[in-house]
Amino acid sequence: MSSGLPRVGFGEAVALLVVFLSMKVLISHLALIFPLGLSASWMIPLMHLPVGLVGAAVIVWLLNRFPGRTIVEIGEELVGPVVNGFFTLFYYVFFVIFTALILRQFAEFMLTGFLPETPLGVAVPAFAAGAAAIVFLGLEALARTARVLFYLLGFSFVLLLLLTSNLWAPHGIMPLWGPGVLALSWAAFSTLGVGVEIFLLALLAPYLPRGRVLAAGLVSVLAAGAVVALATLVSLLVFTYPVVREPVLPMFELARAVQWGRFFVRMETLFLPLWIFSALIGLAAALYICTAVAARALKLPCHRPLILPTLVLILAGAFTPPNFSTAVEVGFVVTAQWSFVPLGAIIGVLVAAAWLRSRRQRRE
Amino acid sequence: MRRVLTSFVLILMILCLPGCWDYRELDETAWVTAIGLDRGRENVLTVTLQIAVARNIAPAPGGGGGGGGEGLVVTSMEAPSLLSALEFTHAWIDCRVDLSHTKVFIVGRELAESDFTAFIMPLARFPEFRPTVGVLVANGRAENVLREADPVLELSPGKLWDQMTGAWAATEFIPRSDFRRVYIDTGSPGAAGLAALIGVEREKEGPPDPSHKAKGVHMAGTIPRRGGQKIEVMGAAVIEGDRMVGVLNGDETGVAKMVRGTFREMIKTVPDPRHPGRFLTVRVYPREPPAVDVRIGADGMPRVAVLIPLEGSILGIQSGEHYERPERVHQVERAVEKSLMTDARAALDKAQHEFGADFFALGYHAKQRFPTWQAWEEFAWDEKFPDAEISFDFDFKVRRIGILRETVLWR
């Protein structure tokens, strides 16, 4: 661990953000996208992209006006401690729920796919402990872990998609416009929350090389959009619509479907690291957001004392859904569907306040 | 000291993570290699499991065959559902039954004709069951097929099933019918599923009739043969909606594979155009993927033109006629195309008029003509298919002539 302020390189930030933004494809996110976009579901991530790029640019514009500060300190300066207190509370509660639901889904994935007789009470704490260990080691450890594993994860992801190429059926994405352009646009709009993970950038910015924050945000959003679009497209090509609606874990089903002759079957175990490492990095990033936001709001010099209490809340949240399907449905509604409304509103308020303030300053 | 302690605790945690919950000894597991499902006698279903006896099929030390003894156990039970039958088996099988190495799933014809999907498709939800499992329909009872399925050329029953279902790539008359494909075809509008047909060797020989009959007129359970293993795979069962609607013989299956693009090779024997009673034998391969053109007429009916480009080599000319000459090769090409057209007409007639089921999967091409899913569903392809105007065209080119340049006439 380094002394003083952590330093996060451009590549490390991009790796961390891309994994964090796109890990959702490994769990049940796609399963709930297909009923919205039908055979054109692969277009939804592409339709998200312009909004995601603009959103990232807006956040970076805000961050650049207050160099060296995170969204928490910026909020306090722009709207005062009371209003910002509510904003921060919202960030914290939202990301605790977000982490809890993602944690539950990854744990359920392990039980469904590999360890059917292992109790949930073992799988959930195992993932949580891994994420907590990374967050305890700090932001630098998290970012470097993401960077080191990024190539392995990227290679595994591309390999998995390519290994299904002998199963691709072009009719899977036909009719081309799925539910129609209007319904498709509404599906894209109502799932804009898929990009809320970009909020991590608002906490990373002070530790990134100056002048590279915008590039890190845009590259990450572009790469993550490509990952989600590719995963959606290949799932459609392999399972075809409407059958693609059925699997609760579409990417895992892709891994199970791989078949090249008699010997290259049962490949899902080969791709297990893709799920495990993505889960650990993604969960650690989400836990870091919770603890860093709380530490900054409470003006603590270090986020570590908050890891354990936050983890307790997350574990409680992870065990709250009575079953996997509730965790999946609630997870989608909370994280992907409407989360962009409150978060977007808060960012909008901060951006408006910053703009008004700069206008006032210019007048003076 | 603190670091050593931390490392020790972390290693201990890692060792604990796998736990014992999913621990399973290989020799305490009953590996099911094939499952059979029939209409039940004393309950809803008769479930038959073919279980490999691992110690008897493992190579003996120093090479050679298995450890001796029976390599298979076949057990049947009456049960309300397949998955409850798996639990049921623990009453008399002393190992934990596991489906993760199951190679084929066989459905008896009677059950398939009445209720194919209700009993088979729920398996897609069961994690042990793999989408790569072969789905076959027994021309009779699945239980009988599994009781007779004893490997002759193989030691391992798993390899037997791999080889038999994998023969789709070496012949026209076995469709590619893994669970994933059948599941997609039966779950999607615009296609009917094709499952390979399996049967037990026929008990009685047919009446004497030494006239020429194409090999493709047969199907599993009717192949005129003696010797070899007791089971045979040939032809296909057509699954439309939730049940099987009929069977295809070998030639009809071949045409369906050509249109679907899963055809790899076949040996075709066709009448010699100049010498009645004599035959030409050619090996046929696909030259390009089939070209399927679907148009929707002004009357709202689909018009489909299918062009199947093929190529191949001459393997035998009974008459000794010099068809291998460049200027006469086209005569062989036309003869093969004519024979394939006959098969295609028979298959199309079955599809449109007998079954009313699009086992060519032409609907997958048709849906490209529709901009939205609603428009495609409203078009109701499956209802319009029987009245669609469909034409087949074969374009066969001879590429090679075997290892003879010409045949010297016998004296």
Side-chain angles (χ1 to χ4, degrees):
Chain A
M1 282 174 280
S2 59
S3 59
L5 275 181
R7 295 246 166 261
V8 177
F10 174 77
E12 294 165 355
V14 169
L16 180 58
L17 283 166
V18 172
V19 174
F20 191 39
L21 277 160
S22 50
M23 66 166 176
K24 61 178 81 69
V25 300
L26 298 175
I27 43 179
S28 300
H29 171 74
L30 295 184
L32 294 167
I33 285 287
F34 294 125
L36 299 175
L38 315 189
S39 52
S41 298
W42 62 280
M43 292 186 196
I44 292 180
L46 300 181
M47 293 167 91
H48 287 150
L49 261 184
V51 182
L53 291 171
V54 170
V58 168
I59 291 175
V60 173
W61 177 84
L62 183 64
L63 293 166
N64 282 343
R65 302 199 70 79
F66 302 91
R69 286 191 252 184
T70 68
I71 192 101
V72 180
E73 290 98 4
I74 294 170
E76 191 160 328
E77 178 150 348
L78 287 173
V79 295
V82 177
V83 177
N84 191 54
F86 284 108
F87 287 178
T88 313
L89 187 64
F90 174 78
Y91 304 147
Y92 184 78
V93 171
F94 173 74
F95 278 102
V96 163
I97 296 170
F98 175 95
T99 317
L101 292 168
I102 297 288
L103 173 62
R104 174 66 180 267
Q105 289 189 52
F106 270 109
E108 292 279 5
F109 156 75
M110 282 305 293
L111 305 194
T112 305
F114 295 94
L115 305 168
E117 288 168 36
T118 299
L120 186 64
V122 171
V124 167
F127 273 116
I134 300 173
V135 176
F136 182 81
L137 293 174
L139 181 60
E140 282 185 346
L142 170 60
R144 259 145 238 179
T145 307
R147 175 64 193 259
V148 168
L149 292 172
F150 187 66
Y151 296 105
L152 172 74
L153 298 179
F155 175 75
S156 301
F157 177 75
V158 173
L159 183 68
L160 171 55
L161 299 189
L162 288 179
L163 279 175
T164 62
S165 59
N166 61 335
L167 308 174
W168 294 355
H171 70 81
I173 55 168
M174 297 293 168
L176 192 62
W177 293 103
V181 177
L182 269 181
L184 200 59
S185 305
W186 172 249
F189 176 74
S190 66
T191 52
L192 275 176
V194 292
V196 290
E197 293 95 331
I198 196 66
F199 185 80
L200 178 60
L201 188 64
L203 294 169
L204 283 183
Y207 315 114
L208 280 169
R210 291 203 67 160
R212 308 290 308 269
V213 183
L214 179 64
L218 298 185
V219 169
S220 308
V221 170
L222 272 175
V227 166
V228 180
L230 275 175
T232 317
L233 179 66
V234 171
S235 301
L236 279 165
L237 290 174
V238 171
F239 299 111
T240 77
Y241 189 82
V243 173
V244 74
R245 291 173 66 133
E246 292 191 353
V248 69
L249 296 158
M251 283 293 284
F252 178 60
E253 274 306 305
L254 277 188
R256 273 164 52 86
V258 169
Q259 185 180 25
W260 287 87
R262 283 182 56 217
F263 293 103
F264 287 98
V265 288
R266 303 170 196 284
M267 305 290 272
E268 62 267 28
T269 315
L270 183 71
F271 295 103
L272 190 55
L274 175 65
W275 269 270
I276 300 292
F277 291 137
S278 300
L280 286 177
I281 293 170
L283 289 168
L287 180 60
Y288 176 79
I289 291 177
C290 302
T291 53
V293 160
R296 297 237 168 209
L298 298 170
K299 299 196 169 32
L300 294 175
C302 180
H303 67 279
R304 282 181 184 166
L306 296 167
I307 293 176
L308 198 59
T310 305
L311 211 54
V312 171
L313 291 175
I314 289 171
L315 285 173
F319 285 111
T320 302
N323 48 52
F324 187 19
S325 59
T326 306
V328 169
E329 301 275 344
V330 173
F332 189 74
V333 172
V334 170
T335 63
Q337 279 202 297
W338 299 112
S339 54
F340 76 95
V341 175
L343 264 181
I346 292 174
I347 301 290
V349 167
L350 295 181
V351 167
W355 182 71
L356 286 172
R357 186 176 159 151
S358 68
R359 216 175 119 188
R360 200 167 50 232
Q361 280 171 347
R362 255 185 276 135
R363 274 195 199 148
E364 286 166 5
Chain B
M1 187 59 199
R2 196 180 150 195
R3 286 190 175 196
V4 174
L5 197 67
T6 310
S7 307
F8 179 75
V9 171
L10 283 175
I11 290 169
L12 203 67
M13 283 173 69
I14 290 168
L15 288 175
C16 291
L17 278 180
C20 299
W21 294 282
D22 289 279
Y23 154 88
R24 204 175 283 183
E25 285 287 358
L26 292 181
D27 62 352
E28 292 171 4
T29 306
W31 302 103
V32 176
T33 47
I35 303 170
L37 213 58
D38 290 295
R39 173 73 62 208
R41 291 192 178 100
E42 297 169 47
N43 204 328
V44 180
L45 296 173
T46 301
V47 179
T48 306
L49 303 180
Q50 183 197 59
I51 300 168
V53 184
R55 68 168 185 278
N56 289 346
I57 57 176
E70 289 291 322
L72 288 171
V73 170
V74 178
T75 181
S76 301
M77 69 215 79
E78 302 293 311
S81 73
L82 169 61
L83 296 179
S84 64
L86 295 182
E87 187 192 359
F88 206 4
T89 51
H90 292 107
W92 65 96
I93 289 177
D94 55 337
C95 294
R96 186 75 174 260
V97 173
D98 190 296
L99 299 190
S100 56
H101 284 266
T102 302
K103 298 289 184 180
V104 291
F105 190 91
I106 305 173
V107 188
R109 185 164 177 166
E110 187 191 348
L111 181 67
E113 283 175 336
S114 59
D115 226 350
F116 184 85
T117 50
F119 293 105
I120 287 93
M121 296 315 170
L123 283 172
R125 192 182 292 274
F126 190 50
E128 266 183 32
F129 194 79
R130 304 189 65 80
T132 51
V133 169
V135 175
L136 300 98
V137 170
N139 199 359
R141 277 184 74 81
E143 181 182 358
N144 296 347
V145 170
L146 287 177
R147 293 208 178 276
E148 299 293 344
D150 211 0
V152 173
L153 299 176
E154 311 288 346
L155 277 174
S156 153
K159 193 166 182 190
L160 166 78
W161 295 118
D162 275 338
Q163 296 283 85
M164 291 202 79
T165 53
W168 69 268
T171 173
E172 62 156 344
F173 54 72
I174 299 176
R176 192 171 187 185
S177 67
D178 51 82
F179 185 80
R180 194 187 66 85
R181 268 166 217 277
V182 176
Y183 194 77
I184 288 174
D185 288 343
T186 49
S188 310
L194 274 186
L197 198 65
I198 188 168
V200 180
E201 180 186 15
R202 64 181 188 170
E203 286 175 6
K204 288 181 192 165
E205 291 191 2
D209 175 15
S211 64
H212 171 80
K213 294 164 202 75
K215 70 172 188 308
V217 301
H218 300 288
M219 62 181 70
T222 69
I223 301 176
R225 69 177 181 104
R226 286 169 289 280
Q229 63 191 3
K230 297 273 189 188
I231 57 166
E232 55 200 28
V233 181
M234 187 173 192
V238 178
I239 316 294
E240 169 73 357
D242 61 349
R243 64 190 186 88
M244 170 185 153
V245 290
V247 291
L248 303 180
N249 67 24
D251 283 337
E252 292 155 355
T253 305
V255 174
K257 284 173 71 181
M258 284 178 194
V259 181
R260 282 171 167 253
T262 56
F263 166 72
R264 292 289 176 273
E265 74 170 275
M266 69 185 282
I267 292 176
K268 187 86 182 155
T269 303
V270 300
D272 188 318
R274 289 176 61 92
H275 300 271
R278 298 291 183 194
F279 295 90
L280 306 169
T281 308
V282 290
R283 191 190 293 274
V284 181
Y285 303 99
R287 191 168 81 230
E288 288 167 29
V292 181
D293 181 41
V294 183
R295 289 169 199 276
I296 310 299
D299 56 352
M301 292 309 291
R303 290 180 174 78
V304 186
V306 183
L307 173 66
I308 300 170
L310 302 164
E311 62 184 10
S313 48
I314 299 173
L315 295 182
I317 304 170
Q318 284 184 346
S319 64
E321 189 78 33
H322 294 165
Y323 288 120
E324 61 279 272
R325 296 271 169 81
E327 69 276 12
R328 300 192 62 192
V329 150
H330 72 277
Q331 292 177 325
V332 178
E333 293 172 349
R334 296 299 84 77
V336 171
E337 287 169 3
K338 191 178 163 192
S339 173
L340 287 170
M341 275 304 289
T342 308
D343 299 340
R345 278 194 206 101
L348 186 60
D349 187 55
K350 265 195 176 175
Q352 288 193 289
H353 305 127
E354 198 172 326
F355 304 156
D358 179 9
F359 56 75
F360 303 110
L362 295 172
Y364 290 158
H365 299 272
K367 70 177 177 178
Q368 298 175 16
R369 313 285 306 179
F370 296 85
T372 65
W373 191 263
Q374 290 90 326
W376 165 236
E377 284 196 318
E378 279 164 18
F379 182 72
W381 171 266
D382 295 330
E383 289 169 25
K384 291 199 170 73
F385 173 75
D387 301 317
E389 205 175 281
I390 300 171
S391 66
F392 286 121
D393 197 6
F394 294 88
D395 180 17
F396 176 68
K397 300 284 181 216
V398 170
R399 298 297 187 202
R400 276 157 290 277
I401 54 170
I403 54 173
L404 300 184
R405 195 182 73 81
E406 65 173 40
T407 314
V408 176
L409 290 178
W410 300 331
R411 294 172 188 280

